[in-house]
Amino acid sequence: MSLIDLTGSEPTAATHKPYGKSAERRVDAYFSADVETDGPIPGPYSILSFAIVYAGSFDGVRFIRPRTYDRVFYKELRPISEKYQPEALKINGLNRDRLKHEGSSPQTAMQEAAEWIRSNARGANPVLVAYPLSFDWTWLYWYFVNFTSDGSPFDYSRCYDIKTALAVKARIPISEAGRSRLPPNLASTYSHTHHALDDAVEQAEIFANVFEWGSKWWRLISVAL
């Protein structure tokens, strides 16, 4: 047996009723995000770098993954306080002293990020993707609300947790759905380096693998929509 048991039978269309019918089908545009920080929570601590990568779209029937992960946004930011945890800096390798002088202001970085997201969504609804979601969402939402004129491009709830999706699809507890337990067919070909851009690209590929895995029953359901 692999680390995650993928041998369970898939649900059938007969056991899943369509969620709802709409005259106009809405489209989600997914953006994989990764943040590197100098502490556990925003406000007392700071985002030092973050990356956002276009990760695909879904209209309720068809998921389209990008051919390449070259639509990217990356920024290194000026710290917003003097407080930090040395252990956090050991993980991401970023130099706070350098960023105090060379980092972008949070206002500039977040406004540019929001505009980039809306532009690359191309009329679809932007959805933030992360693995796990809770950490990256907390930081980015707080920064967007505090440092941009229009707030979060993901509104207050348009987000997708890869860890939860994996737990539901694999029928395993959340505690067993960590990244380190991914089987080869769901893992990324990219490395996890703790550089925000590298990790956002890696995460985007994992997202697509998990989203597409076990999708046969979705195709059956789509016939009834």
Side-chain angles (χ1 to χ4, degrees):
M1 183 183 293
S2 64
L3 292 177
I4 293 177
D5 186 0
L6 306 183
T7 61
S9 60
E10 293 179 334
T12 65
T15 61
H16 285 77
K17 296 181 180 179
Y19 181 74
K21 296 183 179 181
S22 174
E24 183 179 354
R25 190 177 298 279
R26 305 188 72 180
V27 179
D28 286 340
Y30 299 100
F31 294 89
S32 172
D34 184 80
V35 301
E36 299 296 333
T37 74
D38 60 12
I41 58 172
Y45 300 95
S46 309
I47 289 180
L48 300 183
S49 71
F50 72 96
I52 300 171
V53 177
Y54 176 74
S57 65
F58 183 58
D59 65 359
V61 175
R62 184 186 181 195
F63 173 73
I64 303 175
R65 75 159 75 198
R67 293 182 179 179
T68 60
Y69 295 104
D70 56 358
R71 289 162 63 181
V72 302
F73 184 93
Y74 176 75
K75 282 289 182 181
E76 295 184 351
L77 276 62
R78 188 182 309 150
I80 61 174
S81 79
E82 291 301 317
K83 194 171 183 178
Y84 69 94
Q85 292 183 339
E87 55 269 30
L89 301 182
K90 288 180 181 179
I91 293 173
N92 58 49
L94 292 165
N95 187 316
R96 288 183 89 256
D97 291 332
R98 176 181 67 81
L99 293 175
K100 288 178 182 179
H101 303 286
E102 299 178 8
S104 298
S105 72
Q107 292 83 355
T108 298
M110 302 316 294
Q111 191 65 43
E112 289 179 357
E115 292 171 1
W116 182 89
I117 290 165
R118 293 185 176 106
S119 174
N120 279 272
R122 298 176 181 175
N125 298 300
V127 177
L128 185 145
V129 172
Y131 191 167
L133 177 71
S134 54
F135 185 81
D136 302 274
W137 172 270
T138 298
W139 281 91
L140 288 173
Y141 184 74
W142 192 92
Y143 263 66
F144 277 127
V145 169
N146 277 274
F147 297 120
T148 68
S149 57
D150 298 323
S152 171
F154 305 108
D155 205 357
Y156 66 91
S157 63
R158 287 202 302 266
C159 50
Y160 186 106
D161 182 25
I162 303 172
K163 190 172 186 177
T164 300
L166 177 63
V168 170
K169 285 195 169 189
R171 299 180 182 180
I172 58 175
I174 285 286
S175 58
E176 295 181 12
R179 191 194 310 256
S180 63
R181 299 175 65 88
L182 283 171
N185 63 310
L186 297 181
S188 176
T189 57
Y190 298 91
S191 299
H192 192 81
T193 67
H194 293 291
H195 185 287
L197 184 54
D198 291 342
D199 293 356
V201 170
E202 177 211 23
Q203 188 175 254
E205 186 176 40
I206 293 173
F207 161 71
N209 293 342
V210 171
F211 200 104
E212 292 177 337
W213 172 61
S215 61
K216 181 170 65 177
W217 68 277
W218 282 109
R219 292 195 294 273
L220 292 171
I221 292 172
S222 70
V223 174
L225 291 174

